Amino acid sequence: MFPQPSNPAPHMSIRIGTRGSDLALWQAHRTRDLLESLGQESELIIIKTSGDLIQDVPLTADLGRSFFTKEIEDALLDKRIDLAVHSLKDLAVEQPEGLTLACVPERANPKERLLVRSDCFDAQGEAGIQLRNGSKLGTSSPRRRKRLGELRPDLEFAELRGNVPTRIDKLRRGDYDAILLACAGIERLGLDLEGLEIQDLGPDLLAGAPGQAALGWQCREDDKELLELLARVEDRPAARCTAVERGLLKALGGGCSLPLGSYAVLDGEQVHLRAFLYHPEHEGSCLSVDLRMDDDEALVREAADALSPALRRPLEGMSILLLGGPEIPALGHELGTAGARVQHLHCLDLQPLPVDDSVIETLGKADHILLASRTAARILSDLCEDQGLEISPHCAILVPGRQTASLTRRLFPDHQVILGDPPRSEGMGRVAYERGAEIVMALGADEGNLDGLEFLSRKGIVGRHVGLYRSVPRSPTSLDTPDGFDAAVYLSPKAIEGLPPEGLTNRARILALGPTTGRALADRTGQDVTTSPRPDLQGLLTVLLPKD
């Protein structure tokens, strides 16, 4: 328990302002109960907001940042009420002059809930979304629409407005095949979902809106007596975590219509933040972060720096050629989100390697597996299916990036899948060490990056590297090299063998992704090479963009 302030004298009967929907009234009654537990009397005053009155338009930035709160805030400022109860996700991060976010009393289930008509349910649905192809999904949230649209481009989206029971009624009568709602609202109202299929989507798949599932109590900033009273029921972990989420929203300059998903949770003394961001208008992939820090302000700054290229699009008009394996890497999608036109040249193949029985036996005992790529995840899954490998249910699987994480969670749904911190090989080693790893297996290319194992070795932990596949350069004569690009980025040393720089017909900037590839490219050319200091979008931006 956190220490509580000394008991102030009871405030006069507190006038609580609330919207009139079923969920808003539940939240207001919950607030009244919490105040009553402090010996404080209160009464409810229902106020209609623009969000209640305007039901026939999509939720866009044009509606303003206080669509569900302005009339209640006006009542606070006019002293017609003393305390406003909001869903924290609806409350603007910039408070009107004279008002303050006084208290975050509690947070409920932050997950998203997919409700599906039984004839549209598919337990094996693509991308882990249990919906049949081509289903019509109701949602009024740009965040949900963007995220599900990327994961499932086959889905049809339709606007969904109204209070929570009304939305469920629309689903039952067949207006939609499925709808997405916040778990917290459904659970608070205790709604009957009989006859509907249910899938809860966690923050790794679809993070909620900043502050989702939390209550936000707002009052006048000069009402010191009430502020002291409300401090007695604040949930400090919830307040800290939602402050990080809302701080990120503020740093990005957004309102409730920004396609930003974020969820923060305490991990010891650190805050663990997972977030994604799309451009509100441009189609394409999101940028995402998975960070842990004990400095909340620094965490918000780093997350905003990593996500803001989705809004700024600093590479607009630039054409970039990526040279690597058969699949477009996550980096290619991120460059596109930052505004670049991305081309990909497949200049090396990936050849599976045999795995002997001793590896299978050790893998079954491992408590941490470091997966280098999506290819490694697929081969590991094949080993489980074809060679009877059984990974311990207590084994954590660490991965270097969002796309590898998404695939691995689908292939190994019963295992904990964790992003490296930072999300690359050494970061996976760091996380394994922090988790107390003892038996570690690193799976990837036979000449892959071993930074994670080297980090563990320096900490006295001996891991084993297993090459599941080999990168084999393709013949340069078999490659159709595109023209018209501003920069060519080599993704690995093997890609240099597949198409040496002298084979590029376009006189563009030649860049290397990461120090290892940079050294190989310098050896090949005998010249200094422009090298991204980090093998990610942030690193590439430092060498692609002109210095200020």
Side-chain angles (χ1 to χ4, degrees):
M1 289 290 293
F2 292 99
Q4 301 295 313
S6 58
N7 293 352
H11 198 281
M12 294 176 60
S13 181
I14 295 173
R15 297 166 297 172
I16 301 172
T18 177
R19 296 168 61 198
S21 70
D22 291 347
L23 181 56
L25 289 174
W26 184 97
Q27 294 174 167
H29 283 288
R30 174 62 177 161
T31 299
R32 189 168 64 180
D33 291 343
L34 289 171
L35 292 175
E36 187 176 310
S37 71
L38 302 177
Q40 177 61 58
E41 294 182 0
S42 61
E43 58 182 302
L44 304 186
I45 298 176
I46 297 174
I47 300 171
K48 286 191 176 294
T49 69
S50 299
D52 300 308
L53 298 172
I54 303 172
Q55 294 279 323
D56 57 350
V57 296
L59 296 179
T60 66
D62 296 337
L63 295 174
R65 300 182 182 182
S66 302
F67 191 52
F68 293 102
T69 63
K70 183 180 185 302
E71 289 78 6
I72 298 177
E73 291 175 332
D74 288 345
L76 262 180
L77 291 169
D78 294 341
K79 298 189 176 181
R80 289 179 278 128
I81 61 173
D82 304 303
L83 176 64
V85 179
H86 304 285
S87 292
L88 186 57
K89 67 180 179 61
D90 294 333
L91 189 62
V93 292
E94 295 283 3
Q95 296 287 289
E97 186 175 355
L99 301 184
T100 185
L101 174 59
C103 176
V104 177
E106 60 188 14
R107 191 173 204 177
N109 185 347
K111 293 181 179 180
E112 301 273 66
R113 182 160 291 173
L114 181 68
L115 302 180
V116 187
R117 291 171 58 87
S118 58
D119 57 339
C120 302
F121 182 76
D122 180 359
Q124 305 302 316
E126 295 178 16
I129 308 297
Q130 296 177 339
L131 265 177
R132 72 179 185 191
N133 276 19
S135 291
K136 182 179 180 181
L137 178 63
T139 177
S140 56
S141 161
R143 168 184 55 86
R144 291 167 175 158
R145 187 182 294 243
K146 288 274 189 177
R147 182 65 176 145
L148 270 294
E150 180 183 3
L151 294 172
R152 290 287 302 270
D154 61 282
L155 298 178
E156 175 189 350
F157 293 93
E159 277 297 314
L160 174 65
R161 296 291 307 278
N163 60 38
V164 175
T166 298
R167 295 182 186 197
I168 294 174
D169 287 344
K170 290 179 178 180
L171 173 65
R172 290 189 186 280
R173 74 187 187 206
D175 293 1
Y176 310 93
D177 298 324
I179 61 174
L180 259 176
L181 300 172
C183 285
I186 297 172
E187 292 175 355
R188 282 169 172 160
L189 293 175
L191 296 175
D192 177 18
L193 302 179
E194 185 177 357
L196 299 174
E197 301 289 346
I198 300 170
Q199 181 186 9
D200 286 353
L201 308 179
D204 290 325
L205 189 63
L206 177 59
Q212 181 162 308
L215 301 184
W217 290 355
Q218 186 185 35
C219 71
R220 291 180 293 277
E221 62 183 1
D222 62 359
D223 193 342
K224 305 303 181 185
E225 185 179 310
L226 181 55
L227 285 167
E228 186 177 354
L229 176 73
L230 299 181
R232 295 170 58 192
V233 290
E234 174 139 277
D235 182 326
R236 296 189 183 180
R240 181 183 176 188
C241 291
T242 55
V244 167
E245 296 168 19
R246 287 166 55 80
L248 176 59
L249 179 62
K250 181 177 180 179
L252 293 169
C256 62
S257 63
L258 189 71
L260 169 69
S262 65
Y263 179 59
V265 63
L266 283 185
D267 183 2
E269 294 300 315
Q270 294 185 318
V271 173
H272 179 196
L273 172 66
R274 285 165 284 186
F276 64 79
L277 175 67
Y278 292 85
H279 192 282
E281 299 171 5
H282 292 278
E283 296 300 321
S285 300
C286 65
L287 297 183
S288 64
V289 294
D290 190 320
L291 301 169
R292 288 177 176 84
M293 288 189 189
D294 53 16
D295 184 331
D296 297 358
E297 292 184 1
L299 175 60
V300 167
R301 286 196 300 272
E302 183 163 335
D305 286 345
L307 296 177
S308 63
L311 300 178
R312 296 187 289 109
R313 294 178 62 83
L315 302 180
E316 194 80 60
M318 185 178 292
S319 179
I320 298 174
L321 175 66
L322 300 180
L323 298 98
E327 294 183 308
I328 298 177
L331 177 63
H333 299 292
E334 292 171 353
L335 287 166
T337 300
R341 183 173 69 89
V342 180
Q343 302 178 76
H344 175 250
L345 186 61
H346 170 195
C347 54
L348 57 89
D349 290 316
L350 304 178
Q351 180 184 85
L353 298 173
V355 177
D356 62 40
D357 291 341
S358 67
V359 171
I360 298 296
E361 182 179 353
T362 307
L363 275 171
K365 300 175 181 177
D367 51 54
H368 286 77
I369 293 175
L370 315 186
L371 283 182
S373 64
R374 287 175 287 174
T375 299
R378 293 189 189 99
I379 294 176
L380 180 61
S381 177
D382 290 342
L383 290 174
C384 292
E385 185 173 339
D386 300 337
Q387 294 186 228
L389 168 62
E390 293 187 9
I391 301 173
S392 166
H394 305 296
C395 178
I397 304 176
L398 286 86
V399 295
R402 178 171 59 89
Q403 287 195 337
T404 304
S406 178
L407 174 63
T408 305
R409 289 185 180 109
R410 293 201 298 273
L411 295 175
F412 300 94
D414 297 328
H415 286 80
Q416 187 175 15
V417 177
I418 307 170
L419 272 172
D421 184 12
R424 48 185 181 268
S425 178
E426 182 175 336
M428 292 191 287
R430 287 179 182 274
V431 173
Y433 171 72
E434 291 169 359
R435 289 173 50 83
E438 296 181 356
I439 303 175
V440 181
M441 300 286 282
L443 311 181
D446 63 341
E447 298 178 3
N449 187 322
L450 301 182
D451 289 351
L453 288 183
E454 290 171 2
F455 176 87
L456 288 168
S457 178
R458 293 194 296 271
K459 299 295 185 179
I461 301 171
V462 179
R464 179 176 178 181
H465 172 251
V466 178
L468 296 182
Y469 58 91
R470 176 173 295 142
S471 299
V472 181
R474 301 178 72 193
S475 168
T477 58
S478 68
L479 302 179
D480 184 13
T481 308
D483 291 318
F485 49 89
D486 301 303
V489 182
Y490 281 95
L491 303 180
S492 71
K494 288 290 185 179
I496 300 168
E497 296 179 34
L499 183 62
E502 57 267 26
L504 294 171
T505 58
N506 193 48
R507 295 182 63 83
R509 296 174 65 192
I510 307 297
L511 309 175
L513 186 70
T516 303
T517 305
R519 290 190 292 269
L521 192 55
D523 290 343
R524 177 78 190 205
T525 62
Q527 300 175 354
D528 290 338
V529 172
T530 302
T531 301
S532 167
R534 293 166 34 175
D536 57 18
L537 177 63
Q538 288 295 100
L540 266 182
L541 289 177
T542 64
V543 295
L544 285 170
L545 297 176
K547 301 292 188 293
D548 294 334

